[in-house]
Amino acid sequence: MFAPLLVGSALAGVATVGSLVQHYRRQLGPMTLADVRALTELAPTPIALCREGFVKIVGTLGCDAPERSLYGDAPVAVREVRHYAVEGRGASGQRVLSRVERSTHPIWIEDDSGRITLDPLATRLDYEVDGSEVEPMIEELRLRVGERVAVLGPVVRDVAVAHHPMRRSAVQTDGAVRFLSPPLVTWRTEPEVYPKLLPPAGATALSASSIALAVLGALLRV
C-alpha cells in the first residue's frame, strides 16, 4: 500500500513543480524579484526630477509610428508577434515557434513633467498577451498607445554645456535622462495587477495531501 502512495505523491510533486514554474513565468515575465519589490514599494519619480539612481517612472506610453493590433484594431505602441507551426501529425503533433516579429521604432513615456524616449530593442518589455485561443497559431504580445505604464531602472542625467555669447564661462545645464542598463517597462501599475508571488493554493494542497497520504500509509504499515 505504501509504494503506490509514494509513487503517487512523487508524481503529484512533479506536477506541482511544473504548475509553479508556469505560474511564475506568467506572473513575472521579464521581471526579477528585485523589479517586483521596486514596483510595489517605490514611489513614482517625475521625469523632470530624475537625476541619478534607481527610479520608478509612471506615465503614458506612446510612439510616432503606431501599428494596428491584430485583435480589436487598437493602436499599438510596441509589440511582439509570435508565429507558430505544427510539427508532426495527429496526436503527436506539437506547436512550435517558427517566427517572431518585433517592433523596432522608438517609444516614449510621458508624464506631467516631461518625456523620455526608449529603444524597444534595448528595453525589457512586460507585454500584455492578446488572443482568445488557448494555443493560437499567431500570438500578439503588445502595449497599447495611451496605456499607463511603469518604467524601472537605474538612471543618470547627462550634463549639457551651454555657451552664452555675453559670458566668458560656459554654463552647465541638465541634459537628457539616460538609463544605465535596459529598463523594465510594464503595464502593471496598480496593486490589483501586481505579480502574485504566492503559489496557487490548489496545486500546493494537492501535493501536500498526496505526501500526507503516503506518510499515513507508511505509519499504518508499521
Side-chain angles (χ1 to χ4, degrees):
M1 178 180 178
F2 173 65
L5 285 173
L6 185 60
V7 172
S9 66
L11 292 176
V14 171
T16 300
V17 170
S19 175
L20 291 176
V21 169
Q22 291 299 321
H23 169 77
Y24 286 118
R25 279 180 178 173
R26 287 193 300 269
Q27 291 297 319
L28 293 177
M31 293 189 196
T32 65
L33 292 179
D35 290 329
V36 176
R37 285 195 297 270
L39 179 65
T40 57
E41 296 174 5
L42 285 183
T45 300
I47 293 174
L49 299 182
C50 291
R51 290 293 181 272
E52 186 176 359
F54 197 97
V55 298
K56 171 184 172 182
I57 298 171
V58 177
T60 302
L61 178 66
C63 71
D64 294 328
E67 301 173 272
R68 288 290 171 182
S69 172
L70 300 179
Y71 302 93
D73 201 34
V76 172
V78 61
R79 70 180 178 181
E80 179 177 297
V81 180
R82 298 176 180 177
H83 298 262
Y84 294 89
V86 176
E87 288 189 355
R89 295 182 177 179
S92 62
Q94 293 184 337
R95 190 184 70 144
V96 296
L97 184 64
S98 62
R99 181 165 54 93
V100 178
E101 299 173 2
R102 295 185 177 91
S103 301
T104 59
H105 51 260
I107 58 175
W108 42 261
I109 290 84
E110 188 174 52
D111 64 13
D112 292 337
S113 69
R115 176 184 291 189
I116 185 169
T117 302
L118 299 174
D119 177 0
L121 299 181
T123 303
R124 293 180 295 135
L125 295 164
D126 177 33
Y127 293 106
E128 288 185 284
V129 180
D130 216 337
S132 57
E133 299 177 47
V134 176
E135 290 190 345
M137 300 308 292
I138 299 179
E139 186 178 46
E140 182 183 56
L141 294 78
R142 85 290 183 266
L143 292 172
R144 292 166 294 182
V145 171
E147 190 159 10
R148 186 175 171 83
V149 297
V151 188
L152 298 168
V155 300
V156 65
R157 185 176 287 275
D158 294 330
V159 176
V161 178
H163 295 274
H164 195 280
M166 302 300 293
R167 296 179 181 176
R168 294 183 178 180
S169 60
V171 178
Q172 290 186 345
T173 59
D174 288 339
V177 177
R178 176 168 51 90
F179 282 92
L180 298 177
S181 60
L184 171 75
V185 175
T186 177
W187 57 276
R188 305 170 192 265
T189 59
E190 301 298 331
E192 55 267 24
V193 293
Y194 286 163
K196 296 176 176 60
L197 299 183
L198 291 178
T204 306
L206 175 63
S207 180
S209 62
S210 300
I211 294 172
L213 287 173
V215 173
L216 178 60
L219 292 175
L220 292 175
R221 186 172 184 178
V222 173

